[in-house]
């Protein structure tokens, strides 16, 4: 087993360590909750929406995070937990309840689904405590800092991983995170972003990974090969010894990342792992791509990358660097749409957007930073962006009459039943500017069209929306504005109309459904 070398830590890390030791929270700009949808492989396999459509709660300690999870009606009840302040081992206790399975000393997302954990206000710092995702799905972690998590020494948390995923995890989006350590394995730390034991459909975007012996892995051993696919884009890796990432048998799409000071090795596909490596910028680094520390080969497809002061070692029995002139030795098909920034602007655009407390800024695809508005999350099947125009009934039997209904929190004086009573004089309205309402049946019903009628005086209030298969959570279609919406005929027991933005208070008079 290769032993990690000592890290060449920057002076800035000393300041960070001092702040952590003294309990000082560095001043950070305010931040808000998630503003845009998932990207990359997290959009596949039904999509990743986290706690969308559920309640929102605030937490300032780890115990309060656990309490929010445990207070849910079920382990799948959607919830968004807004975190502000410093989370530590000392303020994170085990909590019991119907919606959770927690443990002390670690943020435990175990056996659950449909959760968003997002830093807000002055920022969320998980200091010496890791985030553990296990046997869970549809999870979003956004705008948080996780620092100095140890597997040895004191305190220990999460096996030394800043964010660790294992045991049948799927559809996770980690975005605008800052993951930091203060050294390598000999100093008590492990990986910053690890995935193992059947972890699938993950995206890491607009994040900073810094000052660690190990950036992260996909697959814990050469026999743990049922992980991935994973997307890494617009991340900054800096002062990392190796594993940016290590891919054991997994497929990864790696684009528009900025790598600075990779001290020993970088992207390391092995044991059949494949990496599509597009328009990245590598600077002041060594062996940034290849198969290292094993004789089990991996593969790569490369295009548009810039290698700025990169050195390459000589090939050997357990050392197969891709350089000094990297060429492709495989092809990787990507199933989702994406836009590449030019590699030449990657240092500037990633510096402007990546990490926690950057205002959730993203690239506009032309090397400029922008703050996104709420957008729907893609799914594994291409969806149409509907533009409804008709407001009259589309013809046929309105299947909503005689059905049942439910939804998210409703405004005072309104009812879910008002959307299925055939009376346009009554309506349902969410308690805020966004929310969801559903029509449901006792047995599977085929639906291919919806007619959304807004109440008198509220025409045009509904902005962007998504139509969801309430049985599976899959997005059937998305668009904006009320009217007739068509999509592929789907057999389901529940269909949900989710409003993700509005110009004013949305009021749904009728939610008509048709075969």
């Amino acid at each position: 087993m290769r032993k990690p070398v000592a890290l060449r830590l920057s002076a800035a890390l000393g300041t960070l360590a001092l702040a952590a030791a003294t309990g000082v929270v560095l001043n950070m700009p305010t931040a808000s909750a998630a503003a845009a949808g998932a990207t990359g492989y997290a959009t596949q396999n039904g999509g990743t929406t986290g706690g969308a459509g559920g309640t929102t709660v605030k937490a300032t300690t780890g115990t309060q995070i656990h309490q929010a999870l445990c207070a849910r009606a079920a382990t799948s009840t959607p919830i968004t937990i807004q975190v502000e302040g410093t989370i530590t081992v000392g303020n994170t206790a085990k909590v019991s309840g119907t919606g959770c399975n927690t443990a002390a000393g670690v943020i435990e997302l175990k056996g659950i689904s449909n959760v968003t954990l997002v830093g807000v206000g002055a920022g969320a710092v998980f200091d010496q405590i890791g985030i553990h995702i296990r046997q869970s799905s549809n999870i979003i972690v956004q705008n948080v800092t996780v620092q100095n998590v140890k597997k040895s020494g004191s305190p220990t948390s999460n096996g030394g991983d800043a964010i660790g995923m294992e045991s049948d995890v799927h559809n996770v989006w980690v975005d605008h995170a800052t993951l930091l350590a203060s050294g390598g394995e000999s100093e008590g730390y492990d990986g910053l972003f690890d995935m193992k034991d059947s972890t699938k459909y993950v995206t890491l975007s607009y994040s900073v990974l810094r000052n660690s012996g190990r950036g992260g892995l996909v697959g814990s051993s050469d026999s743990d090969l049922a992980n991935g696919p994973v997307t890494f884009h617009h991340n900054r890796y800096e002062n990392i010894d190796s594993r940016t990432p290590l891919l054991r048998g997994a497929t990864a799409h790696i684009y528009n990342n900025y790598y600075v000071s990779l001290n020993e090795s970088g992207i390391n596909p092995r044991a059949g792992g494949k990496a599509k490596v597009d328009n990245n910028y590598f600077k002041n680094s060594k062996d940034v791509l290849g198969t290292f520390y094993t004789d089990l080969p991996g593969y790569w497809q490369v295009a548009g990358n810039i290698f700025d002061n990169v050195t390459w070692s000589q090939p050997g029995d357990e050392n197969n660097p891709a350089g000094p002139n990297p060429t492709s030795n495989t092809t990787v098909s990507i199933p989702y749409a994406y836009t590449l920034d030019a590699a030449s602007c990657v240092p500037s655009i990633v510096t402007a957007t990546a990490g926690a407390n950057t205002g959730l800024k993203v690239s506009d695809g032309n090397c400029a930073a922008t703050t996104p508005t709420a957008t729907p999350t893609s799914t594994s099947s291409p969806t149409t962006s509907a533009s409804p125009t008709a407001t009259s009934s589309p013809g046929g039997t309105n299947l909503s009459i005689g059905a049942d209904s439910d939804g998210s929190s409703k405004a005072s004086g309104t009812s879910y039943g008002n959307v299925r009573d055939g009376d346009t004089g009554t309506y349902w309205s969410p308690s805020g500017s966004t929310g969801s309402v559903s029509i449901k049946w006792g047995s599977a019903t085929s639906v291919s069209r919806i007619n959304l009628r807004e109440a008198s005086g509220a025409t045009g209030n509904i902005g962007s929306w998504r139509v969801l298969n309430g049985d599976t959570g899959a997005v059937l279609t998305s668009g904006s504005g009320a009217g007739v919406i068509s999509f592929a005929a789907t057999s389901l027991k529940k269909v949900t109309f989710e409003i993700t933005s509005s110009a004013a208070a949305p009021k749904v008079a009728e939610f008509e459904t048709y075969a």
Side-chain angles (χ1 to χ4, degrees):
M1 178 67 68
R2 169 182 167 270
K3 297 183 181 295
V5 301
L7 291 170
R8 299 185 289 274
L9 300 178
S10 65
L13 180 60
T15 302
L16 176 63
L18 177 62
T22 58
V24 175
V25 178
L26 304 179
N27 289 330
M28 292 170 284
T30 59
S32 59
T39 55
Y41 276 114
T43 66
Q44 307 298 284
N45 192 43
T48 304
T49 57
T55 59
T56 299
V57 301
K58 185 79 172 286
T60 59
T61 68
T63 302
Q64 288 178 355
I65 293 173
H66 286 166
Q67 288 171 337
L69 293 171
C70 295
R72 297 179 299 161
T75 56
S76 60
T77 302
I79 189 170
T80 295
I81 304 173
Q82 296 180 340
V83 184
E84 184 174 15
T86 302
I87 310 302
T88 67
V89 168
N91 67 26
T92 303
K94 175 181 173 64
V95 178
S96 299
T98 57
C100 67
N101 186 352
T102 69
V106 60
I107 300 302
E108 190 84 318
L109 307 181
K110 181 179 179 182
I112 62 175
S113 59
N114 309 325
V115 173
T116 294
L117 194 67
V118 57
V120 297
V125 178
F126 293 75
D127 184 31
Q128 302 182 76
I129 184 168
I131 298 174
H132 187 201
I133 304 172
R134 183 169 182 166
Q135 297 168 342
S136 296
S137 62
N138 194 23
I139 306 294
I140 295 174
V141 178
Q142 190 171 49
N143 200 44
V144 302
T145 295
V146 187
Q147 63 189 30
N148 294 332
V149 182
K150 285 194 170 185
K151 68 176 182 178
S152 62
S154 180
T156 60
S157 178
N158 198 29
D161 295 337
I163 296 179
M165 291 159 271
E166 61 180 305
S167 302
D168 298 317
V169 172
H170 65 87
N171 290 91
V172 177
W173 179 36
V174 177
D175 177 65
H176 284 90
T178 297
L179 310 178
L180 308 169
S182 295
E185 187 176 22
S186 61
E187 287 79 28
Y189 305 97
D190 197 5
L192 294 177
F193 194 72
D194 278 11
M195 292 157 275
K196 55 190 176 182
D197 192 14
S198 191
T199 295
K200 303 175 183 292
Y201 298 101
V202 175
T203 295
L204 177 67
S205 59
Y206 294 100
S207 294
V208 172
L209 296 87
R210 181 180 290 141
N211 298 330
S212 176
R214 297 168 173 175
L217 57 76
V218 187
S220 60
S221 70
D222 290 338
S223 61
D224 182 18
L225 305 178
N227 300 284
V230 188
T231 300
F232 301 85
H233 74 90
H234 292 92
N235 303 297
R236 179 183 178 113
Y237 288 80
E238 183 174 3
N239 195 26
I240 305 289
D241 279 356
S242 63
R243 302 186 180 183
T244 67
L246 168 61
L247 300 169
R248 289 182 167 112
T251 295
H253 187 199
I254 301 171
Y255 70 93
N256 284 152
N257 299 285
Y258 183 31
Y259 300 91
V260 186
S261 298
L262 305 185
N263 300 320
E264 294 300 316
S265 62
I267 302 167
N268 185 359
R270 60 198 279 186
K274 296 181 179 181
K276 182 172 172 60
V277 184
D278 294 330
N279 288 31
N280 301 280
Y281 196 106
F282 301 90
K283 182 177 181 180
N284 299 339
S285 297
K286 176 185 176 184
D287 283 344
V288 298
L289 174 64
T291 296
F292 305 102
Y293 324 120
T294 182
D295 59 0
L296 301 175
Y299 308 95
W300 45 85
Q301 180 180 356
V302 293
N305 302 287
I306 292 179
F307 302 93
D308 179 3
N309 192 31
V310 170
T311 59
W312 302 91
S313 61
Q314 293 296 315
D317 291 341
E318 295 188 349
N319 202 49
N320 181 27
N325 297 301
T327 58
S328 301
N329 58 15
T330 191
T331 58
V332 180
S333 177
I334 303 300
Y336 51 81
Y338 62 99
T339 301
L340 288 172
D341 285 310
S344 59
C345 77
V346 162
S348 61
I349 190 61
V350 170
T351 299
T353 57
N357 307 299
T358 56
L360 300 179
K361 293 179 180 178
V362 299
S363 171
D364 67 352
N366 292 296
C367 299
T370 183
T371 301
T373 55
T375 56
T377 304
S378 302
T379 65
S380 55
S381 298
T383 60
T384 57
S385 182
S387 299
T389 55
T391 56
S392 59
S393 296
T397 301
N398 176 10
L399 302 173
S400 299
I401 302 297
D404 202 355
S405 55
D406 61 21
S408 60
S409 298
K410 55 184 180 290
S412 177
T414 71
S415 168
Y416 306 124
N418 288 339
V419 304
R420 55 179 174 80
D421 59 3
D423 182 359
T424 57
T426 63
Y427 63 87
W428 164 85
S429 186
S431 59
S433 60
T434 62
S436 61
V437 63
S438 302
I439 300 294
K440 54 186 182 179
W441 300 269
S443 58
T445 301
S446 181
V447 178
S448 66
R449 290 170 295 163
I450 289 171
N451 189 23
L452 256 292
R453 297 174 179 265
E454 292 178 286
S456 177
T459 303
N461 287 2
I462 293 176
S464 58
W465 47 258
R466 304 187 307 168
V467 175
L468 307 177
N469 181 332
D471 301 345
T472 66
V475 180
L476 301 176
T477 188
S478 60
S480 60
V484 177
I485 303 164
S486 299
F487 48 89
T490 304
S491 181
L492 41 71
K493 291 184 178 181
K494 182 176 179 179
V495 61
T496 299
F497 183 76
E498 180 186 40
I499 301 168
T500 56
S501 70
S502 57
K507 298 178 180 180
V508 178
E510 290 298 300
F511 182 172
E512 301 173 355
T513 53
Y514 299 87

